[in-house]
Amino acid sequence: EPLLPGRHRSTEALIFLRVALPFIAGFFVSYMYRAVNAVLGPTLAVEFGLNAGRLGLLTSIYFLSFALFQLPLGLLLDRFGPRRVNATLLLVAAVGGAWFALAHSATEAIAARALIGLGVSGCLMSTVLAFVLWYPAERLSTMNGIAFAAGALGSITVSVPLELLLRVWPWREAFMLLVGATLAVSLTLWFWVPEKSARPSGASLGGQLRGLVSLIADPGYRRIALAVGASQIASMSLQTLWMATWLRDVAGYGPSQVARGLLAANVAMIVGYLGFGRAADLRARRGLSVLPLLAGGIALASASLALLALGTRTGSLALWCTFVGGSTAIVLSFSLLSRRYPPEMVGRANTGVNVFGFSGMFLGQWGLGAVLDLWPQSATGYAPEAYTWALGLAWAIQFAGLAWLWSGRRLLERPLVTAG
């Protein structure tokens, strides 16, 4: 049963252990896959002969396959529940990870990373849905913040620790450790987590599809979705790939310094997720909207990115950390959706928004790589002047999404409940 105020702490701890922790572990693993190329990128570029555009494609294809599966994923989650769907998909991710570790060509590696993206496509949304099923509404933002912070720990794991491991292990063997972790989480979900679904008894597939159509027809939903996509074009595509090359090519960092820079950014991400989650729940308990908090975080990130795009070098790592931390406010969009729609529609609502978010990540990583390729490469990487245009483009898109979201704030603050 969902947690209730005053419930015994031992019961809360048991639900965290039996439900929350396994789903959070899955999200931790998915973030490792998401961010691993920030450190592996230079090695992969040399081994497979990749320019910036092809490296961007190799990394971002994960996000494309992730995005393409979000709408069917929402139907599956609402129909079969988060446990079975996520456990099954993680087996697919393990197959993709093993294939990636054994790939002998860029084409194989790209196909394998697409399979990984499909396999981890349920980690975030199954976690969000599990929280909706087991926790009261006033704790959702905090629980989501904890999950995203765990994802940031996954990014940290593939920053400095991975760079140190690669000094003594080949990257392929190191990658197989990630495959083993994926299998372990899948088995835990299958055999440890209790079953629970929000689908009403007798709900038909046709009824679910009609509910999905009603979501798309909601102008507030479309506004949130476009803002999420615009923000992720900038934030996640830079953080999981091009921030590392910027530190190398513009700031002049060596490999170990780049890894430490990524570590600092991921710590900022943890602080952002936990801080925004806690602040959002405090506002929700007072009956206040989380929208101003979301917009304020993205505005802070946008200001930091603008300074980096304009060529600011003094305190550049602090600006990157502020950009990453501020961008985490976009996670509050899931809290907006969870409060806007009934529990049986949360899976479809969140996965629909994820189509835009992960499509943005794909377009950002690939597109910014294509921008970098417009300039001749330097002796050590990409042309420093190319980053001004790449970061400027990312800033313009993120800021436009923020402006679009904020202009519809009155619409978004009105409750809307749709059954289906």
Side-chain angles (χ1 to χ4, degrees), residues 39-40 43 161-172 174:
V39 169
L40 288 184
T43 300
L162 177 59
E163 192 273 331
L164 293 173
L165 181 61
L166 292 177
R167 296 181 187 183
V168 295
W169 269 28
W171 74 267
R172 296 176 187 272

Side-chain angles (χ1 to χ4, degrees), residues 45 49-56 242 373 377 382:
L50 305 173
N51 60 18
R54 290 276 283 175
L55 178 59
W242 300 121
D373 273 337
Q377 290 195 20
Y382 310 116

